């Protein structure tokens, strides 16, 4: 189980090291910590390789900057409180309704094949 910052309890039904990113439609890294874990890094990078939509806000946005090519993680707009969306990678300073709409749009597009490859 995971306890959110608001005290809500979320049931965990899969262990990250035992799942494959290709089986999921998208990846979202919310504000918070824990994104340095090797399993998290592998999952995000594999989702990127499979052209899946990826979103991050707050700490999640900062984590994506270290995981993905600079061409898709330009945080200049997000750093100023804005929103950045490049090739299915959506980042923002906060996870507000604008971020939600942009991320939903990226998910609706399903795959984003025009991305630069990972190093």
């Amino acid at each position: 189980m995971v306890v959110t910052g608001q005290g809500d309890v979320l049931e965990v039904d899969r262990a990250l090291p035992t799942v494959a990113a290709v089986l999921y439609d998208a990846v979202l890294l919310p504000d918070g910590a824990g994104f340095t874990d090797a399993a998290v890094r592998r999952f995000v990078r594999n989702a990127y390789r499979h052209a899946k939509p990826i979103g991050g806000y707050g700490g999640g946005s900062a984590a994506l900057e270290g995981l993905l090519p600079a061409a898709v993680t330009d945080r200049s707009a997000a750093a100023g409180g804005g929103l950045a969306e490049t090739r299915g990678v959506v980042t923002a300073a906060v996870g507000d309704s604008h971020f939600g709409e942009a991320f939903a749009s990226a998910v609706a597009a399903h795959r984003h094949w025009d991305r630069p490859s990972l190093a």
Side-chain angles (χ1 to χ4, degrees), residues 93-111:
V94 295
D96 60 10
S97 63
H98 298 292
F99 172 83
E101 290 169 9
F103 188 60
S105 179
V107 172
H110 188 59
R111 301 271 183 129

Side-chain angles (χ1 to χ4, degrees), residues 29-95:
L29 297 183
D31 194 14
F35 303 123
T36 57
D37 182 84
V40 173
R41 297 174 64 79
R42 185 192 81 247
F43 191 87
V44 171
R45 292 174 65 83
N46 281 338
Y48 182 86
R49 285 184 186 102
H50 287 280
K52 303 292 183 137
I54 298 173
Y57 60 88
S61 177
L64 290 177
E65 189 172 299
L67 292 171
L68 303 178
V72 296
T73 58
D74 177 9
R75 294 184 60 225
S76 58
L83 178 74
E85 193 282 324
T86 305
R87 299 176 178 158
V89 177
V90 182
T91 57
V94 295

